[in-house]
Amino acid sequence: MSLIPGSGAITRILSLAIALPVSTNQLGGSSDWTTYLSLISYLFFIVLIFYGQRIQMYVMIREVENSLHKLKYIKEEGRKNAIDAIKEIGKPTTDPSARVDRYLEYFTISPQNMDPAGIVYKLDHILDVRDTRLKDEVKLMAPSSDEVQVNNLENTLEAAMALNFIYKVVRHYYIQGKKTLSLYVIMQIQMILPMIMKEAEAYASALKAFAYGQPIGDGAGALVAAKLMHGYELRKLPKDCVMATVQIEGRTAIIIKAEGPGGNVGKPGDAVEAVIEENEGKIANVIMIDAGLKLEGELVGEVAEGIGAAIGGPGVDQYKIEEKLTKYHIPINAVIIKEDIGDAVSPMRKEINDSVDKVIERVKAVILERTKEGDKIIIVGVGNSIGVGQ
Amino acid sequence: MAQNQTSPATKRISTYLMMIVLIVIALSIVSLILAANAYLIGDGLTAGFLAIIGLIAMTMSIFTLYQSRRQAVQMKIEMPKVMTTIECKKCGSKTVREYQRGDYVYKELDACPKCPDTKQIITAIYKEVKEKEKTYNV
């Protein structure tokens, strides 16, 4: 017999949820089962009231743990790929694994910024030392490799290094979260996990691109410069950059890019500085072309135009360029090719490759609008020159 | 070149999740049995109520299991197919082939089959992405 009064169907359904143990007594032999089922439901409800947040935390920890397993797998693959590439290209006489493991743990300490005056040049020096040290390590690991291969292997190891670092940071938060059982510690990493995973997957796909020497999305600027300077006489510039003097729309354009086809970003700051000084500041305009981070919803390979020094990295090159431009009051324009972080470090997408001609058209338009015939201009193709000759 | 190979998937479905899913499946089976029982003794409303609970719980647990399985399968590094475009500047002939190690943009290759005095050059290296990207009408 039901304890719930009322005969309407809706009332009856609602009442069933509350009085399930009693109403299902009518089921005869299964009444015990029904009682247990209801008790479990009540228990579940009570547990959720008191331990809801803790359960939510366990779910988050589990989610981070799953991603951590994936990151560990990607990191191990990265290490394996790097070692395989070194063995294949560098033909070392001993097993490079131990040296690779040591390389993956390298760190760089940025200069003290309590007194920020002159910090850019201190950082520049530290980065130069780092670059030389890492290149020397690669040469020791892969003695049979030439300059281009050393650059490619260095890039491969840097991608493996990035994967190793990402894994260790996520693992740190995961263990800390488990140790402290703090929702907020685990929440920090859980909230940004999709972005971290996207970046890690991009680096994983970059590993092979670097090892094989394929052009990457970040090299879009370098590719534009290569197209403009191809077939012209080249001259080396500091550091690891090349330049060619080209006539465009009646103007003398000095095209600068990092020297390819090895994985190399050069130091466009030093190169632009040198060219401006050589010309005693008589430069009508500087146009910088680089890959720019796109927002969700924007198309890969979209071209946009703006003002300012389009160059990423630690900021040393941007600072040097801005210093020189300010000294000689030279205007600066920028053209960017939009892509996301995944596209920037993985093999170049067709859309990015196809946008090169659009960029050249845009650069020509800027030259026509912003300079006069006979003027001298600088065009800098910023980005990693891996897989891009000149 | 074996760059399109995918690494073997690493399977790992959490035992904790599996345990919860199995408990929920067991409860939903009990609920469905009770629903059948209720239907047989003529209590249609109770039967319907229990059947709905059982079906929802079972669907949700199977979906959770499927999701975690899919996540485990996704644990692989996919290497895209990279293509190289080769052009002859004289006759304009264009060929596209799979990327080979050592290729780079503006690398000079062998002479063009149509114009023996002109070397072919690599003009592009790219990957084609067939993205199943969701579009948002905003």
Side-chain angles (χ1 to χ4, degrees):
Chain A
M1 192 189 88
S2 174
L3 290 176
I4 306 298
S7 55
I10 296 169
T11 320
R12 196 157 171 225
I13 290 169
L14 287 172
S15 65
L16 271 167
I18 304 159
L20 194 66
V22 184
S23 65
T24 46
N25 275 344
Q26 294 163 355
L27 300 177
S30 61
S31 63
D32 285 349
W33 278 103
T34 326
T35 314
Y36 293 142
L37 190 68
S38 318
L39 281 173
I40 289 168
S41 311
Y42 289 135
L43 205 70
F44 218 69
F45 190 63
I46 292 162
V47 167
L48 275 180
I49 289 173
F50 290 103
Y51 295 99
Q53 199 183 50
R54 186 156 282 211
I55 291 168
Q56 191 187 357
M57 195 185 65
Y58 280 122
V59 170
M60 280 182 182
I61 287 178
R62 186 59 52 188
E63 205 178 310
V64 175
E65 194 180 306
N66 283 340
S67 299
L68 199 57
H69 283 294
K70 193 171 178 181
L71 281 175
K72 191 176 182 185
Y73 168 75
I74 294 174
K75 177 202 81 147
E76 291 298 334
E77 279 293 299
R79 179 183 171 274
K80 198 172 138 274
N81 280 337
I83 293 171
D84 289 348
I86 288 168
K87 281 182 181 169
E88 198 182 334
I89 299 166
K91 313 260 183 313
T93 47
T94 54
D95 185 16
S97 307
R99 207 174 259 277
V100 168
D101 288 337
R102 219 174 67 193
Y103 190 105
L104 297 183
E105 297 296 327
Y106 273 159
F107 57 87
T108 309
I109 301 168
S110 52
Q112 181 51 252
N113 58 5
M114 275 195 296
D115 177 13
I119 197 170
V120 174
Y121 293 95
K122 287 183 203 166
L123 181 61
D124 192 23
H125 171 65
I126 298 266
L127 293 174
D128 281 349
V129 174
R130 178 184 185 270
D131 191 43
T132 313
R133 174 78 195 269
L134 294 184
K135 275 206 172 83
D136 288 347
E137 279 289 332
V138 176
K139 280 176 196 161
L140 285 171
M141 280 188 248
S144 304
S145 48
D146 58 30
E147 203 58 38
V148 170
Q149 287 166 336
V150 165
N151 283 338
N152 291 352
L153 286 176
E154 193 199 347
N155 281 202
T156 309
L157 282 163
E158 290 223 29
M161 201 193 261
L163 286 171
N164 190 44
F165 183 70
I166 292 172
Y167 167 71
K168 281 166 73 169
V169 171
V170 175
R171 186 181 62 180
H172 167 79
Y173 278 99
Y174 166 72
I175 295 174
Q176 207 176 44
K178 274 198 119 173
K179 270 186 182 171
T180 57
L181 283 182
S182 160
L183 179 70
Y184 301 100
V185 170
I186 207 76
M187 222 183 203
Q188 286 181 69
I189 199 79
Q190 192 265 345
M191 285 192 294
I192 55 166
L193 211 51
M195 278 78 84
I196 292 176
M197 293 310 289
K198 195 174 176 188
E199 199 163 326
E201 277 159 19
Y203 276 118
S205 106
L207 274 160
K208 278 269 158 73
F210 287 135
Y212 287 122
Q214 294 165 345
I216 56 168
D218 182 54
L223 187 62
V224 174
K227 189 155 189 177
L228 289 171
M229 66 165 56
H230 180 65
Y232 290 89
E233 198 186 329
L234 299 171
R235 205 186 99 194
K236 290 207 178 197
L237 281 176
K239 186 193 166 200
D240 298 332
C241 286
V242 284
M243 64 158 269
T245 307
V246 178
Q247 290 299 317
I248 302 175
E249 308 287 348
R251 283 79 167 163
T252 306
I254 298 165
I255 320 284
I256 299 172
K257 78 178 267 291
E259 192 174 4
N264 169 36
V265 288
K267 288 179 85 175
D270 288 357
V272 172
E273 230 177 13
V275 172
I276 293 176
E277 284 303 337
E278 257 175 37
N279 290 279
E280 293 158 345
K282 287 172 189 137
I283 299 289
N285 213 311
V286 173
I287 303 167
M288 296 189 75
I289 306 151
D290 196 6
L293 216 54
K294 80 175 183 77
L295 296 173
E296 287 296 341
E298 288 183 313
L299 294 173
V300 176
E302 222 174 78
V303 180
E305 197 187 312
I307 304 295
I311 184 163
V316 174
D317 290 288
Q318 188 176 356
Y319 176 86
K320 286 179 180 173
I321 293 168
E322 286 167 353
E323 277 274 294
K324 272 302 154 213
L325 297 178
T326 312
K327 185 180 170 190
Y328 292 105
H329 303 289
I330 304 167
I332 181 159
N333 290 280
V335 179
I336 59 161
I337 301 137
K338 296 195 178 175
E339 53 194 75
D340 69 21
I341 179 75
D343 301 322
V345 293
S346 57
M348 188 179 283
R349 281 176 65 159
K350 193 171 188 301
E351 296 90 326
I352 299 170
N353 183 70
D354 293 346
S355 67
V356 168
D357 290 327
K358 280 186 262 173
V359 175
I360 292 174
E361 284 312 308
R362 197 65 82 88
V363 168
K364 282 182 181 167
V366 173
I367 292 170
L368 286 170
E369 287 164 16
R370 304 270 153 227
T371 59
K372 297 190 295 289
E373 218 164 303
D375 277 349
K376 203 172 244 185
I377 56 165
I378 297 176
I379 299 173
V380 194
V382 180
N384 196 320
S385 268
I386 190 162
V388 183
Q390 48 270 327
Chain B
M1 208 175 80
Q3 57 167 310
N4 299 313
Q5 284 173 352
T6 53
S7 312
T10 310
K11 192 217 137 282
R12 200 181 182 284
I13 299 173
S14 131
T15 44
Y16 171 78
L17 180 77
M18 190 65 116
M19 203 177 70
I20 291 177
V21 167
L22 288 176
I23 289 171
V24 177
I25 287 180
L27 285 172
S28 59
I29 290 170
V30 170
S31 180
L32 289 173
I33 292 168
L34 289 175
N37 215 343
Y39 182 73
L40 287 175
I41 63 165
D43 190 352
L45 192 64
T46 310
F49 180 67
L50 288 168
I52 289 169
I53 292 177
L55 286 173
I56 290 175
M58 191 170 272
T59 314
M60 280 173 74
S61 46
I62 290 170
F63 179 71
T64 311
L65 204 66
Y66 167 74
Q67 284 286 92
S68 54
R69 169 75 198 144
R70 211 175 61 156
Q71 236 176 12
V73 170
Q74 275 173 354
M75 205 186 286
K76 59 187 175 186
I77 304 166
E78 284 194 28
M79 297 313 299
K81 200 173 192 174
V82 178
M83 307 307 292
T84 298
T85 306
I86 300 162
E87 274 182 59
C88 171
K89 290 284 173 195
K90 197 173 177 185
C91 66
S93 69
K94 199 187 249 186
T95 47
V96 179
R97 62 156 164 79
E98 210 167 311
Y99 177 87
Q100 286 170 6
R101 186 176 271 196
D103 283 358
Y104 63 85
V105 180
Y106 296 119
K107 182 185 182 181
E108 286 192 347
L109 300 173
D110 298 334
C112 171
K114 289 177 199 163
C115 343
D117 56 329
T118 315
K119 281 189 172 174
Q120 290 176 295
I121 57 164
I122 295 175
T123 52
I125 297 170
Y126 55 83
K127 68 169 178 187
E128 276 186 272
V129 183
K130 288 178 187 75
E131 221 169 9
K132 294 169 278 178
E133 209 171 309
K134 270 186 188 172
T135 49
Y136 300 92
N137 196 20
V138 281

